[in-house]
Amino acid sequence: TMIRWLIQTTVNHPDLSAGRPPAGLLTVAELGQYHGYLSPRRRRDWLLGRWTAKRLVQMHIAATDGFCPALNSFTIEYEPSGSPYVTSQHPALRAAPTDGRIPLALSISHNNGYAFCALSANETGQMRIGADIELVETRQDGFTQEFFTSAERARINAAPSVLRAMLTTATWSAKESVLKAAHLGLRADPRSVECLLRPILPRNWTRLNVEMQPSIQAQSGAVGPLAAWWRVIDNRLRPNTSFILTVASYGIRI
């Protein structure tokens, strides 16, 4: 099993910058959800995430099943935990007859005009995936003390000073991805997950060390090996700034 991923920005489609749904993107149910957001910024963020996720699902189906479904032929819904999943009544899509679910593990993240999505086939129903994008920036004093383990703080403090903001952002992003993959999100204590990264600037996907407390692991109900990766990308919307991308999974290779 492999992970597919896609990044998009608000400049990838003129309607996204204006906060309008691109033609053919949303189902009737999703259009109702869109109109439920009153904040223009929230609408833009939601649309960008939905556009990116649906295009990724579309590309995955085209690669695996040999046809390209319309973006409004499937719906992205959410578990009570906040984890997204895909449903469809399209007769050519391999959806479960009971609830219309397509066997995919999916995660969506957006930040500062970017959306980052990752997915994997999930035929067994046991695959989990979490994705996160974060703008590299200096965090306020006390952030690492409140949310990071002592080993994570020691790793960051030992790094060259020019890398500390990047490592702090990447460590936080990795925690977000792991807790998304666990279907717990920030309802769990971020210190229950320990993510140790090397002081580098990886431009390709790079494995990081991740450990989760057994009690939180049991609470998640996830099975299979837990793994996580990270990388750095340039921010095309704001020169001289960067984003961190992280992906975490149970039972999936990248």
Side-chain angles (χ1 to χ4, degrees):
T1 302
M2 65 178 292
I3 293 174
R4 300 181 191 274
W5 58 279
L6 181 65
I7 296 174
Q8 297 282 275
T9 76
T10 51
V11 301
N12 285 121
H13 194 291
D15 286 341
L16 296 175
S17 297
R20 296 188 302 264
L25 173 64
L26 302 180
T27 64
V28 172
E30 289 171 329
L31 193 59
Q33 189 174 354
Y34 161 79
H35 285 299
Y37 295 117
L38 301 181
S39 161
R41 179 178 176 179
R42 185 70 184 93
R43 282 186 171 187
R44 284 195 300 272
D45 288 346
W46 184 85
L47 277 175
L48 178 60
R50 193 57 52 109
W51 164 261
T52 307
K54 286 201 158 198
R55 290 194 64 222
L56 181 60
V57 170
Q58 184 186 58
M59 292 188 309
H60 173 81
I61 293 170
T64 56
D65 293 357
F67 81 104
C68 191
L71 295 176
N72 60 7
S73 68
F74 54 90
T75 302
I76 296 175
E77 303 186 47
Y78 290 90
E79 305 277 8
S81 66
S83 301
Y85 63 95
V86 185
T87 66
S88 179
Q89 301 301 318
H90 194 296
L93 292 174
R94 294 179 294 117
T98 52
D99 58 7
R101 290 199 187 202
I102 298 175
L104 295 173
L106 174 67
S107 187
I108 304 170
S109 181
H110 46 72
N111 188 285
N112 282 271
Y114 271 66
F116 170 49
C117 298
L119 66 72
S120 177
N122 189 19
E123 303 291 348
T124 65
Q126 295 183 332
M127 301 296 186
R128 301 275 191 92
I129 194 167
D132 188 64
I133 180 170
E134 297 284 343
L135 183 69
V136 176
E137 53 190 350
T138 302
R139 305 279 172 165
Q140 293 182 347
D141 293 341
F143 179 84
T144 59
Q145 190 70 35
E146 183 174 359
F147 297 116
F148 288 9
T149 68
S150 58
E152 290 168 339
R153 295 195 303 272
R155 178 68 62 96
I156 292 166
N157 292 335
S161 58
V162 294
L163 295 180
R164 286 176 192 161
M166 183 272 298
L167 278 179
T168 300
T169 302
T171 302
W172 175 253
S173 181
K175 289 173 177 284
E176 288 253 34
S177 286
V178 170
L179 290 172
K180 282 184 180 182
H183 290 188
L184 295 174
L186 294 179
R187 297 184 303 280
D189 186 342
R191 292 169 297 184
S192 65
V193 176
E194 186 168 82
C195 300
L196 299 177
L197 297 78
R198 291 183 291 139
I200 58 175
L201 288 168
R203 293 290 174 171
N204 297 307
W205 287 109
T206 301
R207 189 80 172 258
L208 62 96
N209 293 325
V210 55
E211 298 287 343
M212 179 178 283
Q213 291 179 0
S215 60
I216 301 298
Q217 175 74 38
Q219 183 181 340
S220 76
V223 297
L226 171 62
W229 301 262
W230 70 299
R231 67 182 296 176
V232 180
I233 65 166
D234 293 330
N235 181 1
R236 292 184 290 130
L237 301 181
R238 285 174 53 189
N240 302 315
T241 63
S242 302
F243 283 104
I244 298 293
L245 306 180
T246 57
V247 174
S249 73
Y250 285 92
I252 306 174
R253 295 181 295 107
I254 193 169

